[in-house]
Amino acid sequence: MRQAVVKPAMPDINLERRCKRQAWAPTHRFFAVTAPGLEPLCAAEMAALGLAGVEPVSGGVHFAGRLEAAYQANLWLRIAGRVLLRLRDFRVRRWEDLERQAASVPWEVWLTPGAPLRVQVALHQSNLKHSGRVEEVVLSAAAARLAELGLDAPTPAAAGDEQAQSLLVRGQERRASLSLDTSGPHLHKRGWRAQGGTAPLREDLAAALLLLCGYDGSLPLLDPLCGAGTLAIEAALLARRLPPGGQRGFAFENWPCHRAAAWQHLKAQAGQGALASAPAAILARDHQARPLALAQENAALAGVAADVTFNRDDFFTAPPPAGPGLLVMNPPYGKRLGSVRQARDFMDRLGQRLRAAYPGWRCGVVLYRPEWAGLLGLKEEARLAAPFGGLKVTLLCGSIPRE
Ligand SMILES: C[S@@+](CC[C@H](N)C(=O)[O-])C[C@H]1O[C@@H](n2cnc3c(N)ncnc32)[C@H](O)[C@@H]1O
């Protein structure tokens, strides 16, 4: 016979009433962190979702709403890195200001008793001079509040534990803020990527290039240098109106105040709104078998295998597919091509091929040397620069002239 598991009795703190008052009823302020440069695109995504109070600033976008607004943002934003809930935003002159603010947070609705917690502190010309002490003050305020209610204090998160709850303290000159991470692992981790492959494009950058080019799935799409398939897979998710976060978990799902029914409802709604298949062709080509196999595996894991056609083809000799449509690419760069001169020559050849075989197509390119944009011969329509893995990349969108 199975023994019934006896759980330690949780003190009766009337959690539901506390959650209602502190977490469910109020309008919260949120901040979606983006790679610098991608803020306007992320703000446009938020506006399309109907989120309120959307205000792009350097490094991210503010918005406001009930808890469900953060659920929606995590589920749907293709370009954000994470979504923060602002718990407190205050003027700080001395340590007591931080102590008082941290003590006023109803930690019992946000933190699971005894669960790992990481406090990240960023100070920029702040009146608070010592990040170790900031961490101590905030942790002991949370522990004291939980202990008063008979609940266990958070435990320190192990280094590299991506599942641990993060709390961010930011001090900038005379202001400071306490924010709770709602996302967990970085949002570009959609939950579908198989291991392996070299130089995959990050998913948020891939989505940014597609959105910069106005891709909505209605025109044919070609990635002739597809590698592990990120651009084609992100395109298929967009074309089918599938949420980028539909296959992963989020930090908010572990909060005591999590509204599981509302979350399930949002996910079910997303499922109902998705198209059964992409409305127009999505074609991914590469001249090597290995990346193509990986791209196919990734597409299957992402649930879009039937939406993308994979072909082993050389860009310089394969005929263009039916079009015109949108051609997107993340050309090889740096060491993979040998010298800088070889990389430049490759870009030059790409430009010649685009002009010869793809007149009338639109083209979106990830560039590591913006000064080479001219080699492609595009009639430029939009461009933005964003950092990526220590490099500054430029996303460029234009049309290929009909000569
Ligand atoms: C930087 S990777 C693309 C990475 C891809 N965006 C991803 O997310 O994984 C460039 C790819 O271009 C392919 N490639 C290079 N020259 C090519 C050519 N002439 N025809 C087709 N593919 C080519 C390489 O095999 C490589 O997989």
Side-chain angles (χ1 to χ4, degrees):
M1 230 175 53
R2 276 179 62 184
Q3 293 253 301
V5 178
V6 182
K7 281 195 188 168
M10 166 102 172
D12 182 12
I13 60 164
N14 205 339
L15 185 63
E16 178 151 343
R17 187 171 52 84
R18 289 169 188 268
C19 289
K20 248 185 222 160
R21 215 176 41 218
Q22 308 285 358
W24 302 345
T27 296
H28 301 284
R29 290 183 57 222
F30 300 102
F31 185 68
V33 180
T34 67
L38 302 187
E39 302 92 342
L41 286 175
C42 185
E45 283 194 285
M46 286 185 186
L49 285 176
L51 294 174
V54 175
E55 187 200 342
V57 294
S58 172
V61 187
H62 293 286
F63 66 104
R66 296 251 174 106
L67 211 49
E68 290 82 347
Y71 292 5
Q72 237 191 328
N74 276 295
L75 183 62
W76 281 105
L77 292 179
R78 296 175 202 276
I79 290 175
R82 61 182 61 260
V83 177
L84 305 178
L85 163 70
R86 278 271 186 274
L87 293 172
R88 292 289 179 269
D89 190 344
F90 52 98
R91 205 177 139 82
V92 67
R93 266 173 298 187
R94 42 182 105 80
W95 287 102
E96 290 75 39
D97 297 323
L98 176 66
E99 283 162 9
R100 202 177 43 254
Q101 292 287 338
S104 74
V105 174
W107 295 106
E108 68 280 8
V109 308
W110 304 116
L111 300 179
T112 302
L117 176 69
R118 172 179 304 109
V119 180
Q120 289 170 289
V121 182
L123 302 176
H124 307 281
Q125 290 154 358
S126 170
N127 287 354
L128 306 169
K129 295 265 177 279
H130 190 303
S131 53
R133 182 156 172 211
V134 170
E135 184 178 345
E136 244 172 65
V137 166
V138 174
L139 276 177
S140 65
R145 167 99 182 191
L146 295 175
E148 226 169 78
L149 298 169
L151 302 171
D152 291 340
T155 49
D161 176 2
E162 280 200 294
Q163 302 305 324
Q165 177 63 59
S166 284
L167 180 68
L168 293 94
V169 189
R170 191 179 155 80
Q172 173 110 36
E173 294 167 3
R174 291 175 189 183
R175 292 207 73 79
S177 61
L178 298 180
S179 306
L180 200 62
D181 173 37
T182 73
S183 303
H186 194 284
L187 292 178
H188 85 267
K189 298 185 176 175
R190 314 287 204 219
W192 52 255
R193 192 178 284 286
Q195 293 305 310
T198 48
L201 186 61
R202 221 171 64 184
E203 293 79 348
D204 49 348
L205 271 186
L209 181 65
L210 292 162
L211 293 175
L212 185 73
C213 296
Y215 178 73
D216 64 2
S218 58
L219 289 180
L221 180 124
L222 167 68
D223 179 354
L225 313 170
C226 77
T230 317
L231 281 162
I233 292 166
E234 284 294 318
L237 293 172
L238 254 165
R240 286 190 50 201
R241 320 277 183 265
L242 286 166
Q247 294 194 39
R248 53 164 279 166
F250 298 95
F252 63 74
E253 292 176 78
N254 297 318
W255 293 352
C257 66
H258 175 46
R259 309 197 76 174
W263 174 229
Q264 287 315 321
H265 177 68
L266 272 181
K267 294 223 292 188
Q269 251 184 346
Q272 285 154 13
L275 304 182
S277 58
I282 300 175
L283 188 56
R285 293 172 168 172
D286 202 288
H287 68 161
Q288 290 185 321
R290 224 171 71 89
L292 264 183
L294 189 63
Q296 269 171 299
E297 190 183 346
N298 280 330
L301 291 168
V304 295
D307 301 292
V308 185
T309 305
F310 294 93
N311 286 136
R312 188 167 177 191
D313 276 317
D314 187 302
F315 177 57
F316 299 107
T317 53
L326 174 66
L327 184 155
V328 281
M329 59 182 170
N330 170 212
Y333 59 93
K335 280 196 213 113
R336 309 176 92 216
L337 286 173
S339 66
V340 172
R341 195 200 156 94
Q342 280 167 307
R344 190 184 182 286
D345 287 350
F346 189 80
M347 199 58 76
D348 192 28
R349 288 178 65 214
L350 286 180
Q352 288 173 31
R353 181 68 185 154
L354 288 176
R355 293 190 298 277
Y358 294 85
W361 282 63
R362 296 188 82 212
C363 180
V365 193
V366 181
L367 280 176
Y368 299 89
R369 294 222 176 211
E371 66 274 22
W372 290 350
L375 298 172
L376 296 174
L378 302 181
K379 190 162 169 285
E380 190 173 321
E381 289 165 9
R383 150 191 312 238
L384 53 83
F388 166 58
L391 297 167
K392 186 116 178 152
V393 302
T394 298
L395 305 181
L396 181 72
C397 175
S399 54
I400 304 168
R402 297 173 196 271
E403 283 172 335

